[in-house]
Amino acid sequence: HRFFAMVKSNAPSAGVHEEINLPHTAAIELYHNALSFCSQKVRVCLAEKGIDYESNHIHLIKTEWHENCSSLYKEVNPAITVPVLVHHGHPIYESLSQIQYIETLKPIPELIPKGLEEKVAFWTATAEVEIEGGELGSMTEEALNAAAARCFGTSVAMLSMPVFLSLYEDITWGNIFHGFLVYPNFGKAFTSFIMKLFGSNFITMAPFSTKSVPIISVGRKHTRQHLEELDKALRMDGRPYATGADFTMADVALISLFERLWQGNYEFLFEDLLAVKAYWQRIQSRSSFKQAILEHRLPIMNKARARIISMKEKVPAYKDALE
């Protein structure tokens, strides 16, 4: 815990750091991860703006190994988080600051239009809880419901456990044990060990099911409510996007949430919401979705989704927990 606190204390502040000069081969570089919510949002922003960049994919343990804990990546970001945007060697930390920086680099098309800031903020609120490390498991059902009701991102985060468990089934034991040596938070390294040990069965296995099933249930209930709210907004005036006629930062944030729902095979949550269903199809048709999402889906991510679908077909208790 002391070492993790030290990592946090050494974490660079948000924003551009012109005093830091990192080795670089392109004017703009992005260090990111395929599965990361924040990485997805920054990639979509860059694609929507038509900004070319050099892609530096950094693995997290859920996509293969703790590359983010490597000595090379610590030189880029001592906080070992992704994404990091680099402009002429100067790093910009924290995804919100990166998105704001991208807006200043190329103001058109405008992703945070003047006058729509509040509407955009409503859909871009980020998850308020740690998905791993025990925070969700320690919350009361009342607290879980309150957090999920406030934020679409939080409710979707609560649905991520099956995705992570399925991913861990394809992570090697060597990479899991390596986490105990390099990852500064022992609790999260141990969580990875448990997830790998039990895999997808974790969800329905006592005593874990007493925590995992209620979390998924709360996440599912409130995700459905947020989707109904989006459906109502889309139907109200026939708008094509979350805040109106134009694609904005609200849609960028929603892409990452819908992508996680796809990853976990949760499309049934909006199968009857025709406006939302059409919206998701519209989003997927955008070139930015192809460039920022489809082209970055790793084989391990596709295998994890396929395993979830297979588990639901073969194990009734697993399907009941998810649906």
mmCIF file of all heavy atoms in Angstrom, residues 2-38:
data_model
loop_
_atom_site.group_PDB
_atom_site.id
_atom_site.type_symbol
_atom_site.label_atom_id
_atom_site.label_comp_id
_atom_site.label_asym_id
_atom_site.label_seq_id
_atom_site.Cartn_x
_atom_site.Cartn_y
_atom_site.Cartn_z
ATOM 1 N N ARG A 2 1.993 1.194 0.741
ATOM 2 C CA ARG A 2 2.860 2.356 0.805
ATOM 3 C C ARG A 2 3.466 2.649 -0.571
ATOM 4 O O ARG A 2 3.570 3.792 -0.984
ATOM 5 C CB ARG A 2 3.972 2.100 1.824
ATOM 6 C CG ARG A 2 4.679 3.381 2.264
ATOM 7 C CD ARG A 2 5.719 3.127 3.323
ATOM 8 N NE ARG A 2 5.503 1.870 4.021
ATOM 9 C CZ ARG A 2 6.341 1.414 4.932
ATOM 10 N NH1 ARG A 2 7.415 2.110 5.245
ATOM 11 N NH2 ARG A 2 6.118 0.260 5.535
ATOM 12 N N PHE A 3 3.845 1.517 -1.297
ATOM 13 C CA PHE A 3 4.436 1.702 -2.611
ATOM 14 C C PHE A 3 3.418 2.268 -3.589
ATOM 15 O O PHE A 3 3.719 3.134 -4.398
ATOM 16 C CB PHE A 3 4.985 0.366 -3.123
ATOM 17 C CG PHE A 3 5.654 0.476 -4.470
ATOM 18 C CD1 PHE A 3 6.611 1.446 -4.723
ATOM 19 C CD2 PHE A 3 5.317 -0.411 -5.484
ATOM 20 C CE1 PHE A 3 7.229 1.544 -5.958
ATOM 21 C CE2 PHE A 3 5.928 -0.312 -6.723
ATOM 22 C CZ PHE A 3 6.885 0.653 -6.960
ATOM 23 N N PHE A 4 2.161 1.785 -3.496
ATOM 24 C CA PHE A 4 1.116 2.289 -4.385
ATOM 25 C C PHE A 4 0.860 3.766 -4.111
ATOM 26 O O PHE A 4 0.648 4.551 -5.031
ATOM 27 C CB PHE A 4 -0.160 1.482 -4.189
ATOM 28 C CG PHE A 4 -1.220 1.776 -5.210
ATOM 29 C CD1 PHE A 4 -0.935 1.713 -6.551
ATOM 30 C CD2 PHE A 4 -2.506 2.108 -4.816
ATOM 31 C CE1 PHE A 4 -1.905 1.976 -7.504
ATOM 32 C CE2 PHE A 4 -3.482 2.374 -5.754
ATOM 33 C CZ PHE A 4 -3.173 2.303 -7.098
ATOM 34 N N ALA A 5 0.910 4.152 -2.831
ATOM 35 C CA ALA A 5 0.731 5.566 -2.485
ATOM 36 C C ALA A 5 1.860 6.400 -3.078
ATOM 37 O O ALA A 5 1.657 7.537 -3.518
ATOM 38 C CB ALA A 5 0.691 5.731 -0.972
ATOM 39 N N MET A 6 3.068 5.802 -3.097
ATOM 40 C CA MET A 6 4.205 6.519 -3.658
ATOM 41 C C MET A 6 4.026 6.723 -5.164
ATOM 42 O O MET A 6 4.315 7.788 -5.700
ATOM 43 C CB MET A 6 5.492 5.736 -3.391
ATOM 44 C CG MET A 6 6.745 6.435 -3.878
ATOM 45 S SD MET A 6 8.235 5.516 -3.421
ATOM 46 C CE MET A 6 8.102 4.103 -4.499
ATOM 47 N N VAL A 7 3.506 5.686 -5.851
ATOM 48 C CA VAL A 7 3.240 5.809 -7.281
ATOM 49 C C VAL A 7 2.234 6.922 -7.534
ATOM 50 O O VAL A 7 2.393 7.747 -8.428
ATOM 51 C CB VAL A 7 2.717 4.469 -7.855
ATOM 52 C CG1 VAL A 7 2.213 4.654 -9.273
ATOM 53 C CG2 VAL A 7 3.810 3.415 -7.817
ATOM 54 N N LYS A 8 1.177 6.953 -6.704
ATOM 55 C CA LYS A 8 0.159 7.998 -6.853
ATOM 56 C C LYS A 8 0.745 9.381 -6.621
ATOM 57 O O LYS A 8 0.435 10.340 -7.309
ATOM 58 C CB LYS A 8 -1.004 7.747 -5.887
ATOM 59 C CG LYS A 8 -1.965 6.668 -6.346
ATOM 60 C CD LYS A 8 -3.204 6.642 -5.468
ATOM 61 C CE LYS A 8 -4.261 5.758 -6.079
ATOM 62 N NZ LYS A 8 -5.496 5.733 -5.279
ATOM 63 N N SER A 9 1.621 9.494 -5.600
ATOM 64 C CA SER A 9 2.196 10.799 -5.274
ATOM 65 C C SER A 9 3.125 11.284 -6.375
ATOM 66 O O SER A 9 3.315 12.484 -6.557
ATOM 67 C CB SER A 9 2.949 10.736 -3.934
ATOM 68 O OG SER A 9 4.092 9.912 -4.052
ATOM 69 N N ASN A 10 3.737 10.334 -7.125
ATOM 70 C CA ASN A 10 4.630 10.701 -8.215
ATOM 71 C C ASN A 10 3.893 10.889 -9.530
ATOM 72 O O ASN A 10 4.514 11.203 -10.549
ATOM 73 C CB ASN A 10 5.711 9.623 -8.395
ATOM 74 C CG ASN A 10 6.699 9.612 -7.235
ATOM 75 O OD1 ASN A 10 6.877 10.625 -6.562
ATOM 76 N ND2 ASN A 10 7.337 8.476 -7.000
ATOM 77 N N ALA A 11 2.602 10.650 -9.523
ATOM 78 C CA ALA A 11 1.822 10.763 -10.748
ATOM 79 C C ALA A 11 1.838 12.202 -11.252
ATOM 80 O O ALA A 11 1.617 13.140 -10.488
ATOM 81 C CB ALA A 11 0.387 10.313 -10.491
ATOM 82 N N PRO A 12 2.120 12.386 -12.539
ATOM 83 C CA PRO A 12 2.121 13.749 -13.090
ATOM 84 C C PRO A 12 0.718 14.339 -13.083
ATOM 85 O O PRO A 12 -0.273 13.617 -13.185
ATOM 86 C CB PRO A 12 2.647 13.550 -14.509
ATOM 87 C CG PRO A 12 2.420 12.115 -14.821
ATOM 88 C CD PRO A 12 2.463 11.372 -13.535
ATOM 89 N N SER A 13 0.642 15.623 -12.955
ATOM 90 C CA SER A 13 -0.659 16.294 -12.936
ATOM 91 C C SER A 13 -1.271 16.278 -14.331
ATOM 92 O O SER A 13 -0.587 16.093 -15.341
ATOM 93 C CB SER A 13 -0.491 17.740 -12.459
ATOM 94 O OG SER A 13 0.407 18.440 -13.312
ATOM 95 N N ALA A 14 -2.588 16.478 -14.366
ATOM 96 C CA ALA A 14 -3.302 16.498 -15.645
ATOM 97 C C ALA A 14 -2.834 17.674 -16.486
ATOM 98 O O ALA A 14 -2.354 18.686 -15.983
ATOM 99 C CB ALA A 14 -4.806 16.593 -15.390
ATOM 100 N N GLY A 15 -2.974 17.523 -17.800
ATOM 101 C CA GLY A 15 -2.627 18.612 -18.702
ATOM 102 C C GLY A 15 -1.312 18.389 -19.417
ATOM 103 O O GLY A 15 -0.639 17.371 -19.242
ATOM 104 N N VAL A 16 -0.941 19.379 -20.231
ATOM 105 C CA VAL A 16 0.288 19.289 -21.017
ATOM 106 C C VAL A 16 1.494 19.619 -20.146
ATOM 107 O O VAL A 16 1.440 20.515 -19.299
ATOM 108 C CB VAL A 16 0.219 20.218 -22.245
ATOM 109 C CG1 VAL A 16 0.053 21.682 -21.831
ATOM 110 C CG2 VAL A 16 1.440 20.040 -23.139
ATOM 111 N N HIS A 17 2.586 18.890 -20.350
ATOM 112 C CA HIS A 17 3.816 19.099 -19.597
ATOM 113 C C HIS A 17 4.925 19.471 -20.579
ATOM 114 O O HIS A 17 5.659 18.615 -21.076
ATOM 115 C CB HIS A 17 4.186 17.843 -18.809
ATOM 116 C CG HIS A 17 3.350 17.651 -17.581
ATOM 117 N ND1 HIS A 17 3.821 17.893 -16.311
ATOM 118 C CD2 HIS A 17 2.049 17.272 -17.439
ATOM 119 C CE1 HIS A 17 2.865 17.655 -15.434
ATOM 120 N NE2 HIS A 17 1.771 17.286 -16.092
ATOM 121 N N GLU A 18 5.063 20.761 -20.825
ATOM 122 C CA GLU A 18 6.061 21.227 -21.783
ATOM 123 C C GLU A 18 7.481 21.092 -21.248
ATOM 124 O O GLU A 18 8.443 21.151 -22.023
ATOM 125 C CB GLU A 18 5.769 22.679 -22.175
ATOM 126 C CG GLU A 18 4.456 22.824 -22.941
ATOM 127 C CD GLU A 18 4.218 24.240 -23.435
ATOM 128 O OE1 GLU A 18 5.029 25.127 -23.085
ATOM 129 O OE2 GLU A 18 3.234 24.444 -24.172
ATOM 130 N N GLU A 19 7.618 20.896 -19.937
ATOM 131 C CA GLU A 19 8.945 20.720 -19.344
ATOM 132 C C GLU A 19 9.487 19.311 -19.563
ATOM 133 O O GLU A 19 10.675 19.049 -19.326
ATOM 134 C CB GLU A 19 8.904 21.036 -17.837
ATOM 135 C CG GLU A 19 8.311 19.965 -16.940
ATOM 136 C CD GLU A 19 6.790 19.878 -16.959
ATOM 137 O OE1 GLU A 19 6.161 20.628 -17.736
ATOM 138 O OE2 GLU A 19 6.237 19.056 -16.195
ATOM 139 N N ILE A 20 8.617 18.392 -20.020
ATOM 140 C CA ILE A 20 9.041 17.022 -20.281
ATOM 141 C C ILE A 20 9.216 16.835 -21.780
ATOM 142 O O ILE A 20 8.356 17.225 -22.581
ATOM 143 C CB ILE A 20 7.994 16.011 -19.759
ATOM 144 C CG1 ILE A 20 7.818 16.155 -18.242
ATOM 145 C CG2 ILE A 20 8.401 14.586 -20.115
ATOM 146 C CD1 ILE A 20 6.732 15.275 -17.666
ATOM 147 N N ASN A 21 10.320 16.229 -22.173
ATOM 148 C CA ASN A 21 10.583 15.940 -23.577
ATOM 149 C C ASN A 21 10.822 14.440 -23.736
ATOM 150 O O ASN A 21 11.868 13.924 -23.326
ATOM 151 C CB ASN A 21 11.802 16.722 -24.080
ATOM 152 C CG ASN A 21 11.511 18.195 -24.239
ATOM 153 O OD1 ASN A 21 10.872 18.607 -25.203
ATOM 154 N ND2 ASN A 21 11.976 19.003 -23.294
ATOM 155 N N LEU A 22 9.839 13.756 -24.296
ATOM 156 C CA LEU A 22 9.941 12.317 -24.500
ATOM 157 C C LEU A 22 10.463 12.017 -25.904
ATOM 158 O O LEU A 22 10.183 12.770 -26.850
ATOM 159 C CB LEU A 22 8.565 11.664 -24.332
ATOM 160 C CG LEU A 22 7.914 11.773 -22.956
ATOM 161 C CD1 LEU A 22 6.488 11.218 -23.014
ATOM 162 C CD2 LEU A 22 8.728 11.028 -21.910
ATOM 163 N N PRO A 23 11.214 10.938 -26.051
ATOM 164 C CA PRO A 23 11.617 10.526 -27.401
ATOM 165 C C PRO A 23 10.368 10.277 -28.248
ATOM 166 O O PRO A 23 9.399 9.682 -27.764
ATOM 167 C CB PRO A 23 12.388 9.221 -27.160
ATOM 168 C CG PRO A 23 12.800 9.271 -25.725
ATOM 169 C CD PRO A 23 11.716 10.022 -25.014
ATOM 170 N N HIS A 24 10.379 10.720 -29.500
ATOM 171 C CA HIS A 24 9.204 10.544 -30.347
ATOM 172 C C HIS A 24 9.620 10.500 -31.806
ATOM 173 O O HIS A 24 10.666 11.036 -32.177
ATOM 174 C CB HIS A 24 8.190 11.675 -30.124
ATOM 175 C CG HIS A 24 8.748 13.041 -30.365
ATOM 176 N ND1 HIS A 24 9.606 13.672 -29.480
ATOM 177 C CD2 HIS A 24 8.586 13.902 -31.410
ATOM 178 C CE1 HIS A 24 9.949 14.854 -29.954
ATOM 179 N NE2 HIS A 24 9.346 15.023 -31.117
ATOM 180 N N THR A 25 8.796 9.863 -32.608
ATOM 181 C CA THR A 25 9.072 9.759 -34.039
ATOM 182 C C THR A 25 7.990 10.420 -34.879
ATOM 183 O O THR A 25 8.084 10.452 -36.100
ATOM 184 C CB THR A 25 9.201 8.278 -34.458
ATOM 185 O OG1 THR A 25 8.007 7.593 -34.118
ATOM 186 C CG2 THR A 25 10.393 7.618 -33.758
ATOM 187 N N ALA A 26 6.937 10.899 -34.228
ATOM 188 C CA ALA A 26 5.849 11.582 -34.933
ATOM 189 C C ALA A 26 5.423 12.797 -34.124
ATOM 190 O O ALA A 26 5.670 12.878 -32.916
ATOM 191 C CB ALA A 26 4.667 10.639 -35.132
ATOM 192 N N ALA A 27 4.798 13.756 -34.814
ATOM 193 C CA ALA A 27 4.354 14.969 -34.121
ATOM 194 C C ALA A 27 3.373 14.631 -33.008
ATOM 195 O O ALA A 27 3.433 15.190 -31.910
ATOM 196 C CB ALA A 27 3.719 15.938 -35.114
ATOM 197 N N ILE A 28 2.477 13.712 -33.300
ATOM 198 C CA ILE A 28 1.484 13.292 -32.302
ATOM 199 C C ILE A 28 1.569 11.777 -32.125
ATOM 200 O O ILE A 28 1.537 11.019 -33.102
ATOM 201 C CB ILE A 28 0.062 13.696 -32.720
ATOM 202 C CG1 ILE A 28 -0.037 15.219 -32.829
ATOM 203 C CG2 ILE A 28 -0.981 13.165 -31.728
ATOM 204 C CD1 ILE A 28 -1.366 15.731 -33.325
ATOM 205 N N GLU A 29 1.672 11.354 -30.892
ATOM 206 C CA GLU A 29 1.699 9.936 -30.568
ATOM 207 C C GLU A 29 0.684 9.672 -29.456
ATOM 208 O O GLU A 29 0.412 10.548 -28.638
ATOM 209 C CB GLU A 29 3.088 9.491 -30.111
ATOM 210 C CG GLU A 29 4.159 9.661 -31.191
ATOM 211 C CD GLU A 29 5.487 9.030 -30.804
ATOM 212 O OE1 GLU A 29 5.556 8.397 -29.736
ATOM 213 O OE2 GLU A 29 6.450 9.166 -31.582
ATOM 214 N N LEU A 30 0.138 8.475 -29.472
ATOM 215 C CA LEU A 30 -0.816 8.097 -28.438
ATOM 216 C C LEU A 30 -0.426 6.750 -27.859
ATOM 217 O O LEU A 30 -0.267 5.771 -28.587
ATOM 218 C CB LEU A 30 -2.241 8.009 -28.997
ATOM 219 C CG LEU A 30 -3.338 7.641 -27.983
ATOM 220 C CD1 LEU A 30 -3.521 8.763 -26.958
ATOM 221 C CD2 LEU A 30 -4.664 7.323 -28.676
ATOM 222 N N TYR A 31 -0.255 6.723 -26.537
ATOM 223 C CA TYR A 31 -0.054 5.487 -25.799
ATOM 224 C C TYR A 31 -1.417 5.097 -25.244
ATOM 225 O O TYR A 31 -2.032 5.876 -24.512
ATOM 226 C CB TYR A 31 0.966 5.693 -24.673
ATOM 227 C CG TYR A 31 2.371 5.969 -25.174
ATOM 228 C CD1 TYR A 31 2.750 7.250 -25.555
ATOM 229 C CD2 TYR A 31 3.307 4.944 -25.265
ATOM 230 C CE1 TYR A 31 4.036 7.504 -26.028
ATOM 231 C CE2 TYR A 31 4.599 5.188 -25.731
ATOM 232 C CZ TYR A 31 4.952 6.467 -26.107
ATOM 233 O OH TYR A 31 6.227 6.721 -26.568
ATOM 234 N N HIS A 32 -1.898 3.924 -25.587
ATOM 235 C CA HIS A 32 -3.291 3.588 -25.293
ATOM 236 C C HIS A 32 -3.451 2.088 -25.161
ATOM 237 O O HIS A 32 -2.526 1.310 -25.427
ATOM 238 C CB HIS A 32 -4.189 4.096 -26.427
ATOM 239 C CG HIS A 32 -3.861 3.457 -27.754
ATOM 240 N ND1 HIS A 32 -4.624 2.449 -28.289
ATOM 241 C CD2 HIS A 32 -2.834 3.669 -28.635
ATOM 242 C CE1 HIS A 32 -4.086 2.068 -29.441
ATOM 243 N NE2 HIS A 32 -3.002 2.791 -29.677
ATOM 244 N N ASN A 33 -4.656 1.674 -24.761
ATOM 245 C CA ASN A 33 -4.997 0.262 -24.663
ATOM 246 C C ASN A 33 -6.320 0.019 -25.375
ATOM 247 O O ASN A 33 -7.230 0.858 -25.311
ATOM 248 C CB ASN A 33 -5.086 -0.177 -23.199
ATOM 249 C CG ASN A 33 -5.513 -1.624 -23.040
ATOM 250 O OD1 ASN A 33 -6.690 -1.910 -22.874
ATOM 251 N ND2 ASN A 33 -4.561 -2.540 -23.103
ATOM 252 N N ALA A 34 -6.443 -1.122 -26.033
ATOM 253 C CA ALA A 34 -7.636 -1.417 -26.835
ATOM 254 C C ALA A 34 -8.911 -1.426 -26.019
ATOM 255 O O ALA A 34 -9.962 -0.973 -26.475
ATOM 256 C CB ALA A 34 -7.456 -2.762 -27.539
ATOM 257 N N LEU A 35 -8.841 -1.948 -24.787
ATOM 258 C CA LEU A 35 -10.039 -2.160 -23.967
ATOM 259 C C LEU A 35 -10.410 -0.955 -23.113
ATOM 260 O O LEU A 35 -11.561 -0.813 -22.693
ATOM 261 C CB LEU A 35 -9.798 -3.370 -23.064
ATOM 262 C CG LEU A 35 -10.977 -3.933 -22.269
ATOM 263 C CD1 LEU A 35 -12.006 -4.564 -23.200
ATOM 264 C CD2 LEU A 35 -10.493 -4.964 -21.254
ATOM 265 N N SER A 36 -9.459 -0.088 -22.862
ATOM 266 C CA SER A 36 -9.639 1.035 -21.939
ATOM 267 C C SER A 36 -10.699 2.023 -22.422
ATOM 268 O O SER A 36 -10.651 2.522 -23.550
ATOM 269 C CB SER A 36 -8.287 1.747 -21.757
ATOM 270 O OG SER A 36 -8.426 3.103 -21.441
ATOM 271 N N PHE A 37 -11.679 2.318 -21.539
ATOM 272 C CA PHE A 37 -12.700 3.328 -21.841
ATOM 273 C C PHE A 37 -12.063 4.635 -22.311
ATOM 274 O O PHE A 37 -12.429 5.203 -23.334
ATOM 275 C CB PHE A 37 -13.524 3.641 -20.583
ATOM 276 C CG PHE A 37 -14.657 2.698 -20.295
ATOM 277 C CD1 PHE A 37 -15.009 2.409 -18.989
ATOM 278 C CD2 PHE A 37 -15.397 2.114 -21.306
ATOM 279 C CE1 PHE A 37 -16.064 1.551 -18.693
ATOM 280 C CE2 PHE A 37 -16.456 1.261 -21.036
ATOM 281 C CZ PHE A 37 -16.789 0.984 -19.711
ATOM 282 N N CYS A 38 -11.126 5.132 -21.508
ATOM 283 C CA CYS A 38 -10.528 6.449 -21.781
ATOM 284 C C CYS A 38 -9.728 6.438 -23.073
ATOM 285 O O CYS A 38 -9.762 7.407 -23.844
ATOM 286 C CB CYS A 38 -9.654 6.874 -20.605
ATOM 287 S SG CYS A 38 -10.583 7.200 -19.093
#
